[in-house]
Amino acid sequence: MKKKLLFCAALIGSLLTLSVSAAKYSISNTYPAFSVSCTLAGVTRKSADILPETAKETAEESMALEEAQGNTDAACFTYEELSDGTLRITGYDEILNTQNPCHVTIPASIDGKPVSVLGKNCLGTEDSFTYHLTELTISEGITTLESELLEYVSYDLRLINIPDSVISIAENAFLDRNSDSKDNVSIAIGCKETAYAYEYALDNGLACRILSPVLSENSFLTKYSEGTTGLPYYCHYRIVGDMYDYVVVEYLNMETAAEAAGESIDIEQNEFMVLVFEKDSEEVYQCIDSSCLDSDYVDFSLLNGVFYDTFLSFGDWNFDGLCDLVCDQGYFGTGAASFSSLFVYDADESCYVYVPEFSAIDTPQIREDKQSIYSFSRGGANLHYVDRYEYIDGSLCHVARLTQKYTDENSLEIIDERFLDGTWQIYRQETFSPQSSSIDGTIPDSDVYEQAEMLFVDDGYWDL
């Protein structure tokens, strides 16, 4: 118990004071392009045919972006000639790229010889790190991508366009630059659904930006982006579930005029949408849009630390034996707090229903052993809170708060408040002081925790 308390306090104590600005981002909470049979708490289900509402020239904007990328000067690349007369790219020097270091195109040929291979670490080295790359386009004709291409490339890289000609991609080509991780980085693969790169993306858990829609969800997304939001979607990520399949879609808020002029701008996450597909028919069964989430806790144009492959997670949050959905709304401040939105599965309605109370819970964690949800937060360097929530008669309720307050004398005051008989009551309140001091007169914190341990042991209600 002592170790658990020390760990919890050290974790919370390392966080800086949280300051969350409740940025409002308002978009319509309806779906005019849908024919629907039912709407529940901002969630639309049973979508029928999609009818484009207004054209926002997304196709023209997309073409302008592609034209703005152009070709990167071949002088930026080093290479070696292979036995078959083709070239293997061995390096890239960002300093030499005076055209557009954000959008880089690997040329199809250099000095009249075709390029066939992107070699290991060719996009950057420890001595020549690539800082500004946000989108990479690989020209048609290149066939092979070797390992560790992104080891010395900035995390700002979000999209790699891969042509049909690529037929070999190393298993660790897009490995996370953290040497201890075996996961791929959060990038999207731009390709056709008939390309080898598409199968590679599916097998390796990478998001996709489809160039030629074939699957049902991609036909849906094309019409949705043209007729409903006016924003082209950046990419999507498909998750195969037990009951349904889920497609997470990210929309992008881009300054297309600035991009077309060749100016460098940062790519920012924007709105997300979850499409729930019936497994048999592959028809869209339900649409969950970020417009129905609680904007008091997030600005949807800036979802810090949220990507297409981290937006959606699964778990039984109301402990009814059915899988629920959680949409991540990002971390705030220095990462001291994170918020998310919960959609519990309603078996009677056969759809996911939004739980607004959940959005106010800071850093929620499932505690299946206690059939509850814990929240960890703080009111300053010396004031820490642990909150407990439970489902009572189908409603999410705040049932207890544990306050830990440190005094100037290095004492620890603990207040255990619980919601009992319809009112908040102080269940226990105690102040623990150190029993001894060290030779130099300083007071060891561990003595305080040893004295406070009894509070957590007596009834087992709080188990941190």
Side-chain angles (χ1 to χ4, degrees):
M1 177 59 66
K2 172 183 174 182
K3 291 182 179 179
K4 291 184 179 179
L5 286 168
L6 285 172
F7 173 77
C8 181
L11 176 64
I12 300 177
S14 66
L15 303 177
L16 299 178
T17 303
L18 173 66
S19 175
V20 178
S21 174
K24 296 286 187 178
Y25 186 80
S26 176
I27 60 178
S28 173
N29 200 27
T30 59
Y31 305 89
F34 287 79
S35 173
V36 301
S37 61
C38 176
T39 301
L40 289 175
V43 178
T44 307
R45 59 183 284 252
K46 287 295 183 184
S47 303
D49 294 335
I50 303 149
L51 303 174
E53 185 185 43
T54 57
K56 291 289 186 178
E57 300 180 349
T58 54
E60 289 81 357
E61 291 174 353
S62 179
M63 291 177 61
L65 289 175
E66 293 176 2
E67 292 173 359
Q69 293 172 18
N71 293 319
T72 304
D73 191 341
C76 300
F77 301 96
T78 58
Y79 59 88
E80 63 182 10
E81 186 171 346
L82 303 176
S83 59
D84 62 358
T86 64
L87 303 182
R88 176 179 181 265
I89 300 293
T90 58
Y92 164 70
D93 191 339
E94 186 175 72
I95 297 177
L96 298 178
N97 187 353
T98 59
Q99 296 181 8
N100 192 339
C102 295
H103 291 169
V104 173
T105 299
I106 306 295
S109 63
I110 300 178
D111 296 335
K113 298 180 179 180
V115 176
S116 62
V117 179
L118 297 190
K120 179 179 179 180
N121 293 144
C122 71
L123 296 179
T125 66
E126 188 174 4
D127 298 326
S128 181
F129 197 88
T130 300
Y131 291 98
H132 299 96
L133 181 59
T134 60
E135 182 172 337
L136 177 69
T137 297
I138 299 171
S139 293
E140 182 69 35
I142 296 174
T143 62
T144 305
L145 308 184
E146 294 184 349
S147 63
E148 300 173 24
L149 296 178
L150 308 183
E151 184 172 1
Y152 300 105
V153 178
S154 168
Y155 278 107
D156 290 334
L157 177 60
R158 297 284 305 283
L159 177 64
I160 299 180
N161 296 307
I162 300 179
D164 291 352
S165 60
V166 171
I167 57 175
S168 176
I169 304 176
E171 183 178 358
N172 58 347
F174 309 123
L175 205 62
D176 194 314
R177 278 139 277 190
N178 181 348
S179 59
D180 295 331
S181 174
K182 295 183 180 180
D183 297 326
N184 288 305
V185 297
S186 290
I187 59 171
I189 298 297
C191 62
K192 296 179 181 178
E193 287 174 330
T194 54
Y196 169 81
Y198 181 75
E199 295 299 327
Y200 178 92
L202 291 182
D203 292 341
N204 290 273
L206 293 169
C208 292
R209 185 176 185 182
I210 300 303
L211 305 180
S212 299
V214 176
L215 296 180
S216 56
E217 72 264 21
N218 297 319
S219 299
F220 176 89
L221 294 174
T222 300
K223 295 180 180 180
Y224 187 93
S225 62
E226 291 175 353
T228 305
T229 66
L231 294 173
Y233 76 89
Y234 180 69
C235 65
H236 78 262
Y237 183 83
R238 184 160 187 160
I239 302 171
V240 177
D242 294 334
M243 295 178 58
Y244 302 102
D245 287 353
Y246 309 87
V247 176
V248 182
V249 187
E250 181 189 24
Y251 288 92
L252 198 62
N253 184 15
M254 298 183 68
E255 298 284 348
T256 54
E259 287 282 348
E263 298 178 17
S264 173
I265 66 168
D266 292 332
I267 294 179
E268 298 176 347
Q269 295 89 9
N270 200 353
E271 299 142 272
F272 282 82
M273 174 177 68
V274 178
L275 302 176
V276 183
F277 279 83
E278 291 184 327
K279 298 186 74 68
D280 295 332
S281 66
E282 288 200 343
E283 293 181 356
V284 178
Y285 184 73
Q286 183 175 344
C287 176
I288 300 173
D289 192 281
S290 61
S291 62
C292 69
L293 307 185
D294 194 336
S295 59
D296 284 342
Y297 298 96
V298 67
D299 178 353
F300 284 104
S301 63
L302 292 170
L303 291 175
N304 294 326
V306 179
F307 299 92
Y308 20 76
D309 56 349
T310 61
F311 181 67
L312 185 64
S313 61
F314 303 87
D316 183 10
W317 286 86
N318 61 347
F319 312 104
D320 64 353
L322 299 174
C323 186
D324 308 311
L325 307 182
V326 167
C327 298
D328 192 1
Q329 292 176 226
Y331 59 82
F332 301 88
T334 59
S338 65
F339 294 97
S340 51
S341 293
L342 172 65
F343 294 82
V344 298
Y345 187 77
D346 188 325
D348 294 331
E349 296 290 342
S350 297
C351 70
Y352 295 95
V353 179
Y354 178 48
V355 182
E357 298 84 1
F358 188 84
S359 297
I361 300 179
D362 183 352
T363 319
Q365 297 181 14
I366 296 179
R367 289 300 303 266
E368 295 182 359
D369 57 330
K370 296 185 179 298
Q371 296 286 285
S372 62
I373 299 170
Y374 274 23
S375 167
F376 299 90
S377 58
R378 61 186 308 211
N382 297 320
L383 189 60
H384 304 151
Y385 303 104
V386 181
D387 291 280
R388 178 166 168 162
Y389 299 82
E390 296 177 359
Y391 264 87
I392 301 175
D393 297 329
S395 298
L396 183 60
C397 301
H398 187 192
V399 297
R401 162 167 283 195
L402 185 70
T403 302
Q404 303 176 60
K405 184 177 181 181
Y406 300 87
T407 68
D408 294 337
E409 293 77 22
N410 212 27
S411 296
L412 174 65
E413 180 183 15
I414 296 182
I415 305 173
D416 183 353
E417 301 173 88
R418 305 183 189 182
F419 192 74
L420 303 170
D421 300 324
T423 60
W424 279 95
Q425 303 175 24
I426 295 180
Y427 183 81
R428 175 176 291 182
Q429 181 175 3
E430 296 186 35
T431 300
F432 299 90
S433 301
Q435 294 177 331
S436 62
S437 60
S438 60
I439 297 176
D440 60 2
T442 59
I443 302 174
D445 291 342
S446 59
D447 286 344
V448 177
Y449 286 102
E450 288 174 356
Q451 297 175 60
E453 189 178 37
M454 66 183 72
L455 180 66
F456 301 92
V457 173
D458 282 354
D459 61 7
Y461 186 84
W462 293 107
D463 178 12
L464 308 181

